[in-house]
Amino acid sequence: MVSMIWMGMIVASVVFGAANGKLNQVAEAAFGGAQTGVTVCLGLISILVFWMGLMNIAEAAGLVRLLSRMLAPAVRRLFPGVPADHPAMGYILSNMSANLLGLGNAATPMGIRAMQELQKLNPEPSVATPAMCTLLALNTASITLVPTTMIAIRMNFGSAHPADIVASTLLATAVATAAAIFADYICRKKQDPLSTNRSNRPRFRNGRPSVRLDGGGKTG
């Protein structure tokens, strides 16, 4: 779908450029944009490598694990349908901690693994569970303490104070995250109350359910 949208925009630009006799300007803009893109990417490499190196050092030093422990109580309330001892909870905590530190490369695989584990709890595989929707909303509007990419772009374009956006970015992402949590709460309230009842949640042993989702006998 996204490819079709881009193709439509390109075709529309060429058609309107030809109709207005400005096809040369369209071609110059296309090649000029491509050149600018390559220049910006090359300028960002060294800056991003530096920031990602610092973040990876923080991860190796245990900062991500520390954040995970700090976030655990709040995350359990945000995901009431996920047992605390299920592997999905660990991946969710790692994903959120990495996003806070701007570790996008580390956050992405953790988010994918979290979704895979949440799917194992899904009684209807073709329909996303509330926990999946919550995780997606939090990832989309994640609070960012260090906006690494934007700082790097501002430095590449010669900003005198590239880190000035840290406070505003933190405020904006905090508001976005609060809005996402509120919207998720409203949507959950519309669900069947039994779907979020703690007594209906399965217990897990070594990542395997000891009680069926429908409340039947033990499976392990």
Side-chain angles (χ1 to χ4, degrees):
M1 182 62 181
V2 175
S3 299
M4 296 299 295
I5 293 175
W6 279 107
M7 179 59 68
M9 293 172 63
I10 293 172
V11 172
S13 299
V14 173
V15 170
F16 279 102
N20 295 323
K22 299 181 178 180
L23 194 57
N24 289 336
Q25 296 181 15
V26 174
E28 291 176 1
F31 288 112
Q35 181 179 3
T36 302
V38 173
T39 303
V40 171
C41 289
L42 290 176
L44 289 175
I45 290 176
S46 60
I47 302 171
L48 288 177
V49 167
F50 172 75
W51 277 106
M52 292 304 297
L54 288 179
M55 294 303 175
N56 285 329
I57 291 173
E59 181 182 15
L63 186 55
V64 174
R65 290 190 296 271
L66 177 62
L67 282 175
S68 295
R69 289 196 295 268
M70 294 173 61
L71 292 172
V75 171
R76 293 193 189 103
R77 296 181 67 87
L78 290 173
F79 296 88
V82 181
D85 53 351
H86 191 270
M89 189 61 71
Y91 289 121
I92 291 171
L93 287 168
S94 297
N95 171 262
M96 295 180 65
S97 300
N99 275 326
L100 279 172
L101 297 176
L103 293 171
N105 291 337
T108 299
M110 292 298 102
I112 294 174
R113 290 299 301 274
M115 282 293 187
Q116 291 173 342
E117 292 296 333
L118 290 175
Q119 181 69 354
K120 295 178 182 179
L121 298 174
N122 191 354
E124 298 182 49
S126 61
V127 180
T129 63
M132 290 179 172
C133 297
T134 301
L135 180 60
L136 180 61
L138 290 177
N139 269 269
T140 303
S142 176
I143 296 178
T144 304
L145 298 179
V146 184
T148 307
T149 303
M150 289 307 301
I151 291 176
I153 291 175
R154 286 167 60 87
M155 291 178 65
N156 187 65
F157 281 97
S159 173
H161 304 286
D164 281 353
I165 62 170
V166 171
S168 58
T169 300
L170 178 60
L171 176 61
T173 54
V175 172
T177 301
I181 293 174
F182 178 74
D184 177 74
Y185 173 78
I186 296 299
C187 291
R188 282 179 180 269
K189 292 290 285 185
K190 295 181 180 179
Q191 297 288 331
D192 183 356
L194 294 178
S195 64
T196 56
N197 193 321
R198 291 180 179 270
S199 62
N200 291 337
R201 292 184 298 165
R203 294 286 183 181
F204 281 77
R205 296 176 182 171
N206 298 324
R208 297 180 59 188
S210 58
V211 179
R212 293 205 307 266
L213 293 177
D214 58 2
K218 292 184 178 181
T219 60

